């Protein structure tokens, strides 16, 4: 039940400047997710699989990305193994990872 003078929900601010690593092997999913995230102001980098995600994190630094969106089922290295390896890295505990699956 609402109360008189209750604050309205905060306006949506989008994702301005958020650096996201999108890890997905499906080009259609990559394109759609990139478009939606960039419309909200995020900066999106893409890796095709877990090996690519590890390479991107190593190249840019584990603290570079604010968020990793990780598909679970991919060839070469799936999201489960990639997440285990990220967590095993000394800087990997602070990486925010969100699992995705179709």
């Amino acid at each position: 039940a609402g109360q008189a003078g209750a604050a309205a929900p905060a306006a949506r601010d989008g994702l301005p400047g958020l650096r996201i690593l999108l890890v997905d092997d499906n080009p259609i999913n990559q394109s759609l997710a990139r478009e939606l995230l960039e419309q909200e102001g995020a900066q999106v980098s893409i890796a095709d699989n877990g090996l690519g995600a590890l390479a991107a994190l190593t190249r840019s630094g584990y603290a570079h990305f604010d968020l990793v969106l990780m598909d679970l089922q991919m060839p070469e290295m799936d999201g489960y193994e990639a997440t285990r390896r990220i967590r095993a890295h000394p800087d990997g505990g602070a990486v925010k990872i969100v699992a995705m699956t179709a």
Side-chain angles (χ1 to χ4, degrees), residues 29-51:
N29 292 349
Q30 290 175 357
S31 178
L32 180 60
R34 170 179 254 157
E35 183 177 335
L36 292 171
L37 292 165
E38 287 180 346
Q39 283 178 1
E40 293 299 322
Q43 299 170 14
V44 180
S45 298
I46 293 179
D48 292 328
N49 56 50
L51 287 175

Side-chain angles (χ1 to χ4, degrees), residues 19-82:
R19 295 173 307 221
I20 298 174
L21 176 59
L22 172 64
V23 187
D24 196 314
D25 62 315
N26 184 304
I28 294 170
N29 292 349
Q30 290 175 357
S31 178
L32 180 60
R34 170 179 254 157
E35 183 177 335
L36 292 171
L37 292 165
E38 287 180 346
Q39 283 178 1
E40 293 299 322
Q43 299 170 14
V44 180
S45 298
I46 293 179
D48 292 328
N49 56 50
L51 287 175
L54 293 173
L57 289 165
T58 300
R59 182 176 53 253
S60 298
Y62 278 65
H64 175 76
F65 294 102
D66 299 304
L67 179 67
V68 176
L69 296 176
M70 181 79 71
D71 185 15
L72 296 177
Q73 299 176 356
M74 298 176 286
E76 308 255 348
M77 180 186 293
D78 65 24
Y80 296 106
E81 181 61 24

Side-chain angles (χ1 to χ4, degrees), residues 75-94:
E76 308 255 348
M77 180 186 293
D78 65 24
Y80 296 106
E81 181 61 24
T83 297
R84 279 191 283 277
R85 292 191 188 188
I86 291 168
R87 293 291 181 241
H89 188 278
D91 298 327

